[in-house]
Amino acid sequence: MAFELRKYTPPDFETEDLRSAPDARLVPAPADGVAPEGFHAMSIFPEYFRLGGRWLLAEESRMDCVPVLEDGRIAVREFRHLKKGDPVVCGRTENGEDGIFVHADGFAEAAGQRENFAFRTGRSRETSFTRDYDELRELLRYERENGKIVWVLGPAFTFDSGARDAFARLVAGGYVHALLAGNALATHDLEGAYLGTALGQDIYTQESRPNGHYNHLDTINRVRGCGSVAAFIEDERLEDGIIASCEKYGVPYVLAGSIRDDGPLPCVIGSAYEAQDAMRAQVKSATTVICMATMLHSIAVGNMTPSYRVTADGTVRQIYFYCVDIAEFTVNKLADRGSLAAKGIVTNVQDFIKQLAEGLGV
Amino acid sequence: MAFELRKYTPPDFETEDLRSAPDARLVPAPADGVAPEGFHAMSIFPEYFRLGGRWLLAEESRMDCVPVLEDGRIAVREFRHLKKGDPVVCGRTENGEDGIFVHADGFAEAAGQRENFAFRTGRSRETSFTRDYDELRELLRYERENGKIVWVLGPAFTFDSGARDAFARLVAGGYVHALLAGNALATHDLEGAYLGTALGQDIYTQESRPNGHYNHLDTINRVRGCGSVAAFIEDERLEDGIIASCEKYGVPYVLAGSIRDDGPLPCVIGSAYEAQDAMRAQVKSATTVICMATMLHSIAVGNMTPSYRVTADGTVRQIYFYCVDIAEFTVNKLADRGSLAAKGIVTNVQDFIKQLAEGLGV
Amino acid sequence: MAFELRKYTPPDFETEDLRSAPDARLVPAPADGVAPEGFHAMSIFPEYFRLGGRWLLAEESRMDCVPVLEDGRIAVREFRHLKKGDPVVCGRTENGEDGIFVHADGFAEAAGQRENFAFRTGRSRETSFTRDYDELRELLRYERENGKIVWVLGPAFTFDSGARDAFARLVAGGYVHALLAGNALATHDLEGAYLGTALGQDIYTQESRPNGHYNHLDTINRVRGCGSVAAFIEDERLEDGIIASCEKYGVPYVLAGSIRDDGPLPCVIGSAYEAQDAMRAQVKSATTVICMATMLHSIAVGNMTPSYRVTADGTVRQIYFYCVDIAEFTVNKLADRGSLAAKGIVTNVQDFIKQLAEGLGV
Amino acid sequence: MAFELRKYTPPDFETEDLRSAPDARLVPAPADGVAPEGFHAMSIFPEYFRLGGRWLLAEESRMDCVPVLEDGRIAVREFRHLKKGDPVVCGRTENGEDGIFVHADGFAEAAGQRENFAFRTGRSRETSFTRDYDELRELLRYERENGKIVWVLGPAFTFDSGARDAFARLVAGGYVHALLAGNALATHDLEGAYLGTALGQDIYTQESRPNGHYNHLDTINRVRGCGSVAAFIEDERLEDGIIASCEKYGVPYVLAGSIRDDGPLPCVIGSAYEAQDAMRAQVKSATTVICMATMLHSIAVGNMTPSYRVTADGTVRQIYFYCVDIAEFTVNKLADRGSLAAKGIVTNVQDFIKQLAEGLGV
């Protein structure tokens, strides 16, 4: 089964309804960080705005953010990034009557799939997942050559030596193009590389080391002393694990700070909103996103990932979004928020990643 | 890493305390199915009873059941199997003072492990499981030649084509020596072999078949019409799946009835207590037990599985007990009931079995 | 808010389609316990069968069972209860074209509610439940006078003294008309009344009693010695708890045996299928069913509970079905099986029952 | 049952071991934000440091942070707050041999309780919670007069009208002295006050409003337009809910930003570490902390809450820490991290808070 992208069918703007649609209404933002009343908010689907008689596609969308006309294009802005006077599209219909057209059916098969999905009313531990593994494997082979694969990792992902090694092999194999995580994931992973433990427990034998609760603090303190993760890795000649592999293969990673952090590590972005910006900078070019074992980061990234991407040559393609977690609650949470394109896999991420790496032959 | 059984160290009966221990007190059961007041109840550990000055080991134990002297040996009986007048051991101490000695430390390393386990206070999705897979793989290779591997399966196990195939390969490979399950597991599995679905959904493509909710009923009805599962499999020339494989390779399976059953299939044991007896008949010679995706059957089998086995040549060896489930609650439930020897793995059983089969090269 | 039943609107049999519908096809069962090929299976909805030119409603339905013409009425039989030659309705359409009409929209508001439900794709811990409590309270007040309230309890329900007391007050207050449970629920509850513990732990202070793991066995053994639960309660002058209250107020209870049982208690029905029959005998007149903290019994009872009831005076009314569990998986399981009329509440049943009893003023 | 604080027993510094203990070793921090090698890290227990021959208690402790001598007292600093040259206590023993004494048994009964707790290996849905409710009620009555009660709320807490009202009544009743939460909790709550919905669903009827997915964005945008939450509440004359109640009764609240935020609201602290500082400023005087329905905030606050508090008059008292969540995983997570003093209650927080408010008569 060779992987093939679904073809995108743009809207037919020659229908009577859309031909007679008015221009979208633009209203200046009344103050910095504030949208005008009646502002339009984006969905995950391709949306077109009629302006000057032409339909403009928002090329880099983000759910729940606001379309702004900028240099003849539609930019999609977070509220906090609005500037007073920015011309914001207003209107809350989706069928063109206000010059706004939301194109939910652009990927024909996708529509079919959605129907199926609805039938199941969410995925559970009892869903049959073998086909999803098969499809994902083919997808990743395609994306390694043609796309950008962004991974989002929860802190506990790196507690198991096998999972950690599998991910490092995926990095080495070219299947990881960006990593989004937090201070804890990086700390635990570096503790593994430095001392062989995570929170003081051996990541293979499960044995607790004497005074092992110091291990993550010692790791953080050493990194802070070295001044950077890269310097620490070099000083200590670390080779294994997620972060060391990213450093070695030049994979960019964004570490967002959180209120539960110790330390933090030097490169962690303390501001939630600067972290959002840094994450969106990676997601803006992503074609496949895989979230594992994190609700916070999955929702954060899910919110900023639309269902489509406009590629360099102007074609519109689908974005694939996977959420892998042992809790149905987490997996189904994204669907509840409107990210219907998300595909959930309910399992322990350790097994998911080991099986995926095995299937990809890395 | 070649697998080696832990050595069993019998109690030292020459200590002062045990040398001076009295004979255990035997009291006749006052009525059928009723134990005398003060009856002793068994744990999962090897227990010795002093009778006529000699220490007798209960050779086929079962937690919460009652030791009875029978033909010079200690039999362990469910309450419902007691007969009026049966000589029941009474006494509730464990250190020999009542002629009863519970030997919790017979498997030295086991004791060490228990300590570790206690530290973790239960296993969770975040436990590192790679080592458990490695050990289990070695264990199963050993047991294929030297032991008896009993599998306990919940109904949803067979919803995924890949998991079903992996289990069938384990049967073919000699890693399955008995199967304990219920009407639903067998029905879903035979529906898969017969119609390619489970509860009407394709077990690979996840698609719902038109009128697919009839599929399990049609399957059950056909089997009932054929008179037996074996006749049905032959008539329909079924080859794949769990039950067909067991039939093909002569692996005994016990299907216990439950109040949620449709049908049932002809060979299902409707009486919960006859089903218990049939299950215990298989467990009595088991050396490794693996429970997957079922709380009811896991607890039932856990209750009837002691921590040790007396083999044909009289040596005492450990029984290995695994409980694999996506819910920590299920996995940790057994430990709460005293089955400390149980090892829990928290994951989706689909991934567990596929990875295990892959690791065993089947 | 006074509670009012939804009005049932029967099908309009005068539409062109239904007027021209043929009689349903009857085919004799080919053997005991076997349905003819193409048999019809029941849904949870009211179903009408055209026979001799008249439309007959199946008055006591049960999902996945088979309609049989018997004495001019439609009986609904489990497969195992079919007799060779029984005239079974065949046909798998629902719109009348085969003389079978499934009436899914008889309770108008219900249809509207279903739509809403679909939007949520299942209930979760984050669903707002205050309205459900308010409605349930009004419903129970109505049903105490006009209906039959059947409760289904999982074994752990009785571990908490407060929950146990609340349920006993509901029994005393007239809100419990039948109880369906298993050996474990009754054993734990009687242990509570007899020794103040459940599995050896104090049901209020949470303290473990010395040698407390004998408590449930001593309780079972005493009951078996007394010959019956009633005799045990009288002998020991027990007053509190679920079972003692049912005995005191003459509330019938069915205890189904299972493979995890110790004992069992004398009145437990060992055969899964005889237990099903005894349960259905209670459910056949139920108008509200509330399942708490049990997946096995919830599914079993859910399968045998249709969405409607024909009352003594021939009117058709809705059956209310609640499933209360801390796990979304359990709560949503019933919906996946087609029991769309079920309403799920995701919480700890201890708090549910205490709050409900408080609200009802008992 | 009138509530009484447990008495604190200070260590006996006159034992031979402690009398002969050396002074603790102080090493200057080698750089800003970096601790010297061998630094000591704090536990949740009272810790004493021998300096100049006297034992100094760290008065405001925080797990995994570093003791620093400052103006003759022991300050406990996050790594990021260390300044080059700060005299940091080094040493990793706990029995005094390095001049460091960790006093884990200061609250006698607490020690006894811990043992019990260990037996249960964590709390589950099946733990009996009635006593915990009783104790908590008495505790809160005591703390209203004598302590400081800090509440930590997850975002979904305010989805239910009844839970929201109950919390508002607790605020009005004087049982809430500080609130720690995030942008989402405040947004959902203000949406409830402003539009009667949470994420577009009516918080009582559960009905979805047309275009309701705009409601939280409209709320955020309005607040941003008003310039502050207080101005918004005044402008819109809002009265109900959590945030409006806190504003009305002058209860301080800290809203920490996160990467999943929309907006954010004006008063949200975007920096994770400034948010930590603001949270700790509240926690520093807390005597009871109650976390509901949030893993992120529970862990964050759990990490910064020691087991004791030194009150204004110099006495040492216990801090009570509750974690209420429907997931055992969350509830037990804190214990795994060493916060053994935490008491978990496994239930839906809606029911918890309604029952608690009812019990307190507000």
Side-chain angles (χ1 to χ4, degrees):
Chain A
M1 173 179 77
F3 177 80
E4 226 175 310
L5 279 180
R6 289 171 190 154
K7 204 176 134 31
Y8 180 68
T9 310
D12 179 2
F13 292 115
E14 297 307 312
T15 62
E16 185 52 33
D17 280 1
L18 294 188
R19 277 168 55 109
S20 63
D23 259 26
R25 192 162 55 98
L26 294 174
V27 180
D32 280 7
V34 183
E37 222 177 302
F39 63 85
H40 181 77
M42 304 301 290
S43 67
I44 57 164
F45 299 112
E47 300 198 18
Y48 293 82
F49 300 89
R50 184 155 178 142
L51 287 163
R54 293 176 50 232
W55 288 97
L56 299 180
L57 172 64
E59 302 205 349
E60 287 179 352
S61 191
R62 186 200 202 293
M63 192 171 75
D64 287 348
C65 286
V66 174
V68 174
L69 181 64
E70 187 182 56
D71 301 333
R73 296 168 154 257
I74 294 292
V76 176
R77 294 261 178 79
E78 292 84 358
F79 284 80
R80 63 193 151 82
H81 285 317
L82 288 175
K83 291 291 167 209
K84 180 171 176 168
D86 276 348
V88 173
V89 177
C90 289
R92 295 186 172 183
T93 60
E94 308 194 332
N95 61 356
E97 63 182 284
D98 291 315
I100 301 167
F101 186 76
V102 179
H103 190 39
D105 304 320
F107 302 100
E109 288 175 298
Q113 275 207 342
R114 269 202 309 283
E115 227 173 338
N116 248 333
F117 198 79
F119 171 85
R120 272 275 190 177
T121 65
R123 292 182 156 220
S124 87
R125 61 196 76 174
E126 298 187 351
T127 301
S128 167
F129 288 115
T130 291
R131 183 188 178 179
D132 292 307
Y133 277 99
D134 290 349
E135 287 183 350
L136 179 56
R137 209 170 48 233
E138 293 311 310
L139 172 64
L140 294 190
R141 284 188 178 129
Y142 176 86
E143 295 288 55
R144 178 168 60 167
E145 308 304 325
N146 304 283
K148 176 178 176 183
I149 310 169
V150 173
W151 297 77
V152 183
L153 269 63
F157 179 85
T158 192
F159 283 2
D160 176 65
S161 57
R164 210 166 151 272
D165 290 348
F167 193 84
R169 292 198 306 276
L170 287 169
V171 173
Y175 291 103
V176 179
H177 303 134
L179 170 66
L180 310 179
N183 182 64
L185 181 276
T187 298
H188 298 329
D189 183 67
L190 291 171
E191 180 190 333
Y194 182 42
L195 300 166
T197 58
L199 288 174
Q201 288 199 295
D202 189 292
I203 57 176
Y204 179 69
T205 68
Q206 309 169 348
E207 283 164 353
S208 296
R209 298 279 177 79
N211 252 356
H213 59 285
Y214 273 101
N215 285 8
H216 75 287
L217 299 174
D218 280 341
T219 303
I220 289 172
N221 196 51
R222 275 288 289 137
V223 178
R224 291 175 70 95
C226 292
S228 75
V229 167
F232 170 69
I233 288 173
E234 199 184 321
D235 272 25
E236 299 291 345
R237 298 166 198 276
L238 306 180
E239 301 231 314
D240 67 303
I242 295 164
I243 299 299
S245 297
C246 285
E247 287 281 350
K248 180 171 175 186
Y249 291 96
V251 173
Y253 55 92
V254 177
L255 303 180
S258 98
I259 52 173
R260 52 171 281 195
D261 291 349
D262 291 310
L265 296 174
C267 55
V268 170
I269 303 174
S271 159
Y273 308 120
E274 288 171 27
Q276 264 193 6
D277 291 346
M279 292 161 73
R280 191 174 171 203
Q282 291 299 335
V283 169
K284 267 182 173 168
S285 47
T287 54
T288 287
V289 176
I290 305 175
C291 304
M292 298 191 292
T294 166
M295 189 153 79
L296 173 63
H297 289 254
S298 294
I299 293 176
V301 176
N303 287 353
M304 62 178 69
T305 307
S307 64
Y308 67 101
R309 168 81 46 243
V310 182
T311 55
D313 63 3
T315 60
V316 177
R317 60 156 285 182
Q318 208 186 1
I319 296 181
Y320 291 85
F321 192 99
Y322 286 81
C323 178
V324 189
D325 202 283
I326 206 164
E328 280 99 355
F329 184 71
T330 303
V331 162
N332 291 327
K333 186 98 183 169
L334 288 171
D336 281 353
R337 298 177 62 86
S339 317
L340 288 169
K343 194 165 267 189
I345 296 182
V346 181
T347 191
N348 190 315
V349 288
Q350 297 176 26
D351 289 324
F352 169 78
I353 204 71
K354 288 196 282 184
Q355 215 173 311
L356 190 64
E358 178 83 28
L360 286 168
V362 296
Chain B
M1 172 180 79
F3 177 82
E4 225 174 311
L5 278 180
R6 288 171 191 155
K7 204 177 136 30
Y8 179 70
T9 311
D12 178 2
F13 292 115
E14 297 309 312
T15 62
E16 185 53 33
D17 279 0
L18 293 189
R19 277 168 55 110
S20 63
D23 259 24
R25 191 161 56 97
L26 294 173
V27 181
D32 280 6
V34 182
E37 221 176 304
F39 62 86
H40 182 77
M42 306 299 291
S43 67
I44 58 164
F45 300 112
E47 299 199 19
Y48 293 82
F49 301 89
R50 184 155 178 142
L51 288 162
R54 294 175 49 233
W55 287 98
L56 298 181
L57 172 63
E59 301 205 349
E60 288 179 351
S61 191
R62 185 200 203 292
M63 192 172 72
D64 286 348
C65 286
V66 175
V68 173
L69 182 64
E70 186 182 57
D71 303 332
R73 295 168 156 258
I74 295 291
V76 177
R77 293 261 179 78
E78 290 84 358
F79 284 79
R80 62 193 152 80
H81 285 316
L82 288 175
K83 292 290 167 211
K84 180 173 177 166
D86 276 348
V88 173
V89 178
C90 289
R92 297 187 170 180
T93 60
E94 309 194 332
N95 61 356
E97 63 182 283
D98 291 314
I100 301 167
F101 187 75
V102 179
H103 190 41
D105 304 320
F107 302 101
E109 286 175 301
Q113 275 206 340
R114 268 203 308 286
E115 225 172 337
N116 248 334
F117 199 79
F119 171 84
R120 270 276 191 177
T121 65
R123 289 181 158 222
S124 86
R125 62 196 73 175
E126 297 188 350
T127 302
S128 167
F129 289 115
T130 291
R131 184 188 177 176
D132 292 305
Y133 277 99
D134 290 349
E135 287 183 350
L136 178 56
R137 209 170 47 233
E138 293 311 309
L139 171 64
L140 294 190
R141 284 188 176 127
Y142 176 86
E143 295 288 54
R144 178 168 62 165
E145 308 305 324
N146 305 284
K148 176 178 176 183
I149 310 168
V150 174
W151 296 77
V152 184
L153 269 61
F157 179 84
T158 192
F159 283 2
D160 175 65
S161 56
R164 210 166 153 272
D165 291 348
F167 193 83
R169 293 198 305 275
L170 287 170
V171 173
Y175 291 103
V176 179
H177 303 134
L179 171 65
L180 310 179
N183 181 65
L185 181 276
T187 298
H188 297 330
D189 183 66
L190 291 171
E191 180 190 331
Y194 183 40
L195 299 167
T197 58
L199 289 174
Q201 288 200 293
D202 190 290
I203 56 177
Y204 180 68
T205 68
Q206 308 169 348
E207 283 164 351
S208 295
R209 298 278 177 81
N211 253 355
H213 59 284
Y214 272 101
N215 285 8
H216 76 286
L217 299 174
D218 280 341
T219 303
I220 288 173
N221 196 51
R222 276 287 291 137
V223 178
R224 290 176 69 95
C226 292
S228 76
V229 166
F232 169 69
I233 287 172
E234 200 184 320
D235 272 25
E236 300 291 346
R237 299 168 197 277
L238 305 180
E239 300 232 314
D240 66 304
I242 296 165
I243 299 298
S245 297
C246 286
E247 286 283 350
K248 180 171 176 187
Y249 291 96
V251 173
Y253 55 93
V254 177
L255 302 181
S258 99
I259 53 173
R260 52 170 280 193
D261 290 350
D262 292 309
L265 296 174
C267 56
V268 170
I269 302 174
S271 159
Y273 309 119
E274 288 171 28
Q276 263 192 6
D277 291 345
M279 291 160 73
R280 192 175 171 202
Q282 291 299 336
V283 170
K284 267 180 172 169
S285 47
T287 53
T288 287
V289 176
I290 306 174
C291 303
M292 297 191 292
T294 166
M295 189 153 80
L296 174 63
H297 289 254
S298 294
I299 293 175
V301 176
N303 287 352
M304 62 178 69
T305 306
S307 65
Y308 66 102
R309 169 80 48 241
V310 182
T311 55
D313 64 1
T315 60
V316 177
R317 59 155 285 181
Q318 207 187 3
I319 296 182
Y320 291 85
F321 191 98
Y322 286 82
C323 178
V324 188
D325 201 283
I326 205 163
E328 280 100 353
F329 184 71
T330 304
V331 162
N332 290 327
K333 186 98 183 168
L334 289 170
D336 281 353
R337 298 177 61 86
S339 317
L340 286 170
K343 195 165 268 190
I345 296 182
V346 181
T347 192
N348 191 315
V349 287
Q350 298 176 27
D351 289 325
F352 169 76
I353 204 72
K354 289 197 282 185
Q355 214 173 314
L356 191 64
E358 178 83 27
L360 286 167
V362 298
Chain C
M1 174 178 77
F3 177 81
E4 227 176 310
L5 279 179
R6 287 172 191 154
K7 204 177 135 30
Y8 179 69
T9 310
D12 178 2
F13 291 116
E14 297 308 311
T15 62
E16 184 53 34
D17 280 0
L18 293 189
R19 277 169 55 110
S20 63
D23 259 25
R25 191 162 55 98
L26 294 172
V27 181
D32 280 7
V34 183
E37 221 177 305
F39 62 86
H40 182 77
M42 304 300 290
S43 68
I44 58 164
F45 299 112
E47 300 199 18
Y48 293 82
F49 300 89
R50 184 157 179 139
L51 287 163
R54 293 176 49 234
W55 289 97
L56 298 179
L57 172 63
E59 301 205 349
E60 288 178 352
S61 190
R62 184 201 205 293
M63 192 172 72
D64 287 349
C65 286
V66 174
V68 173
L69 182 64
E70 187 183 56
D71 302 334
R73 296 170 154 255
I74 294 292
V76 176
R77 294 263 178 78
E78 290 85 357
F79 284 80
R80 61 194 154 80
H81 285 318
L82 288 175
K83 291 291 166 210
K84 179 173 178 166
D86 277 348
V88 173
V89 177
C90 289
R92 297 188 172 182
T93 60
E94 309 194 331
N95 60 357
E97 64 183 281
D98 292 315
I100 301 166
F101 186 76
V102 179
H103 191 42
D105 303 320
F107 302 101
E109 288 174 300
Q113 275 207 339
R114 268 204 309 285
E115 224 172 339
N116 248 334
F117 200 80
F119 172 84
R120 270 277 191 176
T121 65
R123 290 181 157 222
S124 86
R125 62 196 73 174
E126 298 187 350
T127 301
S128 167
F129 289 115
T130 290
R131 184 188 178 177
D132 292 306
Y133 276 99
D134 290 348
E135 287 183 351
L136 179 56
R137 210 171 47 233
E138 294 311 310
L139 172 65
L140 293 190
R141 284 189 177 127
Y142 177 86
E143 295 288 54
R144 178 168 60 165
E145 308 305 325
N146 305 284
K148 175 177 177 182
I149 310 169
V150 174
W151 296 77
V152 184
L153 270 63
F157 179 84
T158 193
F159 283 3
D160 175 66
S161 56
R164 210 166 152 272
D165 292 348
F167 194 83
R169 293 199 306 275
L170 288 170
V171 172
Y175 292 104
V176 179
H177 304 136
L179 171 65
L180 310 179
N183 181 64
L185 181 275
T187 298
H188 297 329
D189 183 67
L190 291 171
E191 180 189 333
Y194 183 41
L195 300 166
T197 58
L199 289 175
Q201 287 199 295
D202 190 292
I203 58 177
Y204 179 69
T205 68
Q206 309 169 349
E207 284 165 352
S208 297
R209 299 278 177 79
N211 252 357
H213 59 284
Y214 273 100
N215 286 9
H216 77 288
L217 299 174
D218 280 341
T219 302
I220 289 172
N221 196 50
R222 276 287 291 137
V223 180
R224 292 176 67 95
C226 292
S228 74
V229 167
F232 170 69
I233 288 173
E234 201 184 320
D235 272 26
E236 300 290 346
R237 299 168 196 276
L238 305 180
E239 301 231 313
D240 66 304
I242 295 164
I243 298 299
S245 297
C246 285
E247 287 282 350
K248 180 171 176 188
Y249 291 95
V251 173
Y253 55 92
V254 177
L255 302 180
S258 98
I259 52 174
R260 51 169 282 193
D261 291 350
D262 291 310
L265 296 174
C267 57
V268 170
I269 303 174
S271 159
Y273 308 119
E274 288 171 27
Q276 263 192 6
D277 291 347
M279 292 161 72
R280 193 175 169 202
Q282 291 298 336
V283 170
K284 266 181 172 168
S285 47
T287 54
T288 287
V289 176
I290 306 176
C291 303
M292 298 190 291
T294 164
M295 190 153 79
L296 174 63
H297 289 254
S298 294
I299 293 176
V301 177
N303 287 352
M304 61 177 69
T305 307
S307 63
Y308 67 102
R309 167 83 46 243
V310 182
T311 56
D313 64 3
T315 60
V316 177
R317 59 155 285 183
Q318 205 185 5
I319 297 181
Y320 291 84
F321 191 98
Y322 286 81
C323 178
V324 189
D325 201 283
I326 206 164
E328 280 99 354
F329 184 71
T330 303
V331 163
N332 291 326
K333 186 99 183 169
L334 289 170
D336 282 353
R337 297 176 62 88
S339 316
L340 287 171
K343 195 164 266 189
I345 295 181
V346 182
T347 191
N348 190 316
V349 287
Q350 298 176 27
D351 289 323
F352 169 77
I353 204 71
K354 288 195 282 184
Q355 215 173 313
L356 190 64
E358 178 82 27
L360 287 167
V362 297
Chain D
M1 174 179 76
F3 177 82
E4 226 175 310
L5 279 180
R6 289 172 190 154
K7 206 176 134 30
Y8 180 69
T9 312
D12 178 2
F13 292 115
E14 297 307 311
T15 62
E16 185 54 32
D17 279 1
L18 293 188
R19 277 166 56 108
S20 63
D23 259 25
R25 192 163 55 97
L26 295 172
V27 181
D32 280 7
V34 183
E37 222 176 302
F39 61 86
H40 181 77
M42 304 300 291
S43 67
I44 58 165
F45 300 113
E47 300 199 19
Y48 294 81
F49 300 89
R50 183 153 180 144
L51 287 163
R54 295 176 47 233
W55 288 99
L56 299 180
L57 172 63
E59 302 205 348
E60 289 179 350
S61 191
R62 185 201 205 290
M63 190 172 74
D64 287 349
C65 285
V66 174
V68 174
L69 181 64
E70 187 182 56
D71 301 332
R73 296 168 154 256
I74 294 291
V76 176
R77 293 262 178 78
E78 290 85 357
F79 284 80
R80 61 193 151 83
H81 285 316
L82 289 175
K83 292 290 167 209
K84 180 170 177 167
D86 276 348
V88 173
V89 177
C90 289
R92 297 187 170 181
T93 60
E94 309 194 331
N95 61 357
E97 62 182 283
D98 291 314
I100 301 167
F101 186 76
V102 179
H103 190 41
D105 304 320
F107 302 101
E109 288 175 300
Q113 276 207 341
R114 268 204 309 284
E115 226 173 337
N116 249 332
F117 199 80
F119 171 85
R120 270 277 190 178
T121 65
R123 291 181 156 219
S124 86
R125 60 196 76 173
E126 298 187 350
T127 301
S128 167
F129 289 114
T130 290
R131 183 188 179 178
D132 292 305
Y133 277 99
D134 290 349
E135 287 183 350
L136 178 56
R137 210 170 45 234
E138 293 311 310
L139 171 64
L140 293 190
R141 283 188 178 129
Y142 177 86
E143 296 287 54
R144 178 169 60 164
E145 307 305 324
N146 305 284
K148 176 178 177 184
I149 310 169
V150 174
W151 297 77
V152 184
L153 270 63
F157 179 84
T158 192
F159 283 2
D160 176 64
S161 56
R164 209 166 152 272
D165 291 348
F167 194 84
R169 292 198 305 276
L170 288 169
V171 172
Y175 292 104
V176 180
H177 303 135
L179 170 65
L180 310 178
N183 181 65
L185 181 276
T187 298
H188 298 329
D189 182 66
L190 291 171
E191 181 190 332
Y194 182 42
L195 300 166
T197 57
L199 289 176
Q201 289 199 293
D202 190 291
I203 58 177
Y204 179 69
T205 68
Q206 307 169 350
E207 283 164 352
S208 296
R209 299 278 177 81
N211 252 358
H213 59 284
Y214 273 100
N215 286 7
H216 76 287
L217 299 175
D218 280 342
T219 303
I220 289 173
N221 196 51
R222 275 288 289 138
V223 179
R224 291 175 69 95
C226 292
S228 75
V229 166
F232 170 69
I233 287 173
E234 200 185 319
D235 272 24
E236 300 291 346
R237 297 168 197 275
L238 305 180
E239 299 231 315
D240 67 304
I242 296 164
I243 299 299
S245 297
C246 285
E247 287 281 349
K248 179 170 175 186
Y249 291 95
V251 173
Y253 54 93
V254 177
L255 302 181
S258 98
I259 52 173
R260 52 170 281 194
D261 291 350
D262 291 310
L265 297 174
C267 57
V268 170
I269 303 174
S271 158
Y273 307 119
E274 288 170 27
Q276 265 192 7
D277 291 346
M279 293 161 72
R280 193 177 169 200
Q282 291 298 337
V283 170
K284 266 181 172 168
S285 48
T287 54
T288 287
V289 176
I290 305 176
C291 304
M292 299 191 290
T294 165
M295 189 153 78
L296 174 62
H297 289 254
S298 294
I299 293 175
V301 177
N303 287 353
M304 62 179 69
T305 307
S307 64
Y308 67 101
R309 166 83 45 242
V310 183
T311 55
D313 65 1
T315 62
V316 177
R317 57 156 286 182
Q318 208 186 1
I319 295 181
Y320 292 85
F321 192 98
Y322 286 81
C323 178
V324 189
D325 201 284
I326 206 163
E328 280 99 353
F329 184 71
T330 302
V331 162
N332 290 327
K333 186 97 183 171
L334 288 170
D336 282 353
R337 296 177 64 87
S339 316
L340 286 170
K343 195 165 268 190
I345 295 183
V346 181
T347 192
N348 190 315
V349 288
Q350 298 176 27
D351 289 325
F352 169 78
I353 203 72
K354 288 196 282 184
Q355 214 173 313
L356 190 63
E358 178 83 27
L360 287 167
V362 297

